[in-house]
Amino acid sequence: MSYKNILIAKENSIATITINRPTKLNALNKATIQELHQAFEELEKNYETRVVILIGSGEKAFVAGADIAEFADFSVEEGVQLAARGQDILFNFVENLKIPVIAAVNGFALGGGLELAMACHFRIASDNAKMGLPEVSLGVIPGYGGTQRLPQLIGKGRAMEMILTAGMVTADEAYRTGLVNHVVPQPELLEFCNAMAQKIMKNSPVAISKAIKAINANYKDGENGFETEIKSFGKCFGTDDFKEGTTAFLEKRKAVFTGA
Ligand code: COA
């Protein structure tokens, strides 16, 4: 599969997706959202990939938002469709992916850009990153899950402030509120994300996918996270990874997981 707006590099079971529209600060147009969907879908099917790192091209932006030029003259119905389709094929899709996705926030993450970073399983920022949901300054509200995921991550009061003021926070402020897990100097960002991916890859891929599902269950309407946890916990007992993990521990050796 060849792509116009994204680049994919694979090394040692880690796939790095770079959103590559630097002249538009990697703004998410329709084509980019579609390409990202296809790329994530392919990577999930391809059992070789164990962790995905998502970054923006250049040193200025992760993603500066949804492409404003594309929706400036939309009708009410088109606005609904834009948000619904985007949430379905990209934002919810990434959140529910079986393999972990780390957002490497390497600059501006605004609007849809921050929403995309928040849909990832966790975020690591470079020290120059700036984050915000400035939609109300354009007369609209976040439409790719921002009003839901931001309060989940930083609490309702802080999310209200960020969204209602349309303000930006620095990487350090984002770290203090739990929006990002770590802040590192920009030249070290990818190396740091790769080291984090290596730590994740020492563990059972089956258990990791079930952990993602159980954690996400807490945030889904009509789902009881504790019950999802119980079922997923039980299913682990039927996997090769569980047999390998426990046997390796008892034999005092490192486990070699197959993901089965
Ligand atoms: N959609 C479409 N184009 C965008 C964009 C977006 N969200 N963000 C940046 N761009 C484009 C600019 O239009 C400009 O294109 P041009 O050179 O063809 O005119 C290019 O990217 C560079 O942006 P520019 O504004 O010149 O850079 P800057 O350094 O002066 O400012 C930002 C950087 C991020 C502060 C500014 O681009 C910005 O506010 N972007 C919009 C952020 C936003 O509101 N996002 C939420 C959208 S819902």
Side-chain angles (χ1 to χ4, degrees):
M1 173 69 71
S2 70
Y3 297 104
K4 244 180 78 187
N5 303 297
I6 61 173
L7 305 168
I8 305 178
K10 293 182 198 166
E11 205 182 339
N12 303 326
S13 301
I14 301 171
T16 303
I17 303 180
T18 305
I19 301 166
N20 191 29
R21 297 184 75 216
T23 59
K24 296 291 171 193
L25 302 185
N26 307 319
L28 291 177
N29 60 358
K30 219 170 138 188
T32 307
I33 289 178
Q34 184 62 38
E35 287 187 11
L36 283 167
H37 170 76
Q38 272 161 10
F40 280 114
E41 195 173 47
E42 285 290 314
L43 291 170
E44 191 177 47
K45 277 190 205 147
N46 156 8
Y47 289 102
E48 281 163 24
T49 299
R50 302 268 301 272
V51 178
V52 182
I53 297 169
L54 182 63
I55 193 165
S57 68
E59 295 187 348
K60 191 167 170 183
F62 173 71
V63 170
D67 194 320
I68 298 168
E70 246 186 21
F71 63 73
D73 60 358
F74 271 14
S75 66
V76 170
E77 190 45 43
E78 286 170 316
V80 170
Q81 287 304 322
L82 180 75
R85 181 156 172 80
Q87 290 195 16
D88 184 37
I89 70 167
L90 183 58
F91 297 78
N92 296 349
F93 193 81
V94 167
E95 184 171 68
N96 293 313
L97 214 69
K98 292 192 175 107
I99 41 179
V101 184
I102 303 172
V105 182
N106 59 315
F108 286 116
L110 301 174
L114 181 56
E115 290 174 298
L116 183 56
M118 291 193 294
C120 295
H121 297 111
F122 58 89
R123 290 141 293 284
I124 296 169
S126 58
D127 49 7
N128 65 318
K130 287 210 168 140
M131 285 154 263
L133 293 178
E135 284 87 345
V136 297
S137 71
L138 299 167
V140 66
I141 68 167
Y144 288 142
T147 63
Q148 305 305 298
R149 290 193 183 98
L150 188 62
Q152 286 167 8
L153 286 164
I154 69 172
K156 186 176 168 186
R158 287 195 180 104
M160 282 281 187
E161 182 180 330
M162 263 181 81
I163 293 173
L164 304 189
T165 61
M168 284 188 216
V169 295
T170 62
D172 285 335
E173 285 167 321
Y175 173 73
R176 278 199 295 278
T177 57
L179 184 51
V180 302
N181 293 13
H182 303 273
V183 180
V184 296
Q186 179 155 69
E188 293 163 28
L189 179 62
L190 267 181
E191 193 186 324
F192 189 94
C193 292
N194 272 287
M196 187 67 81
Q198 297 288 349
K199 278 192 198 172
I200 293 172
M201 285 173 3
K202 288 189 180 138
N203 305 311
S204 152
V206 183
I208 280 169
S209 72
K210 293 195 187 320
I212 291 172
K213 189 176 154 103
I215 293 167
N216 281 342
N218 183 41
Y219 302 97
K220 289 195 175 145
D221 271 352
E223 226 177 288
N224 181 320
F226 289 97
E227 276 171 18
T228 304
E229 183 184 273
I230 291 167
K231 281 188 200 135
S232 300
F233 177 80
K235 280 185 189 157
C236 292
F237 286 71
T239 66
D240 292 351
D241 274 8
F242 174 73
K243 285 184 189 69
E244 169 61 11
T246 47
T247 306
F249 177 81
L250 295 171
E251 290 175 356
K252 300 192 188 306
R253 61 172 174 82
K254 274 196 180 148
V256 182
F257 292 114
T258 59

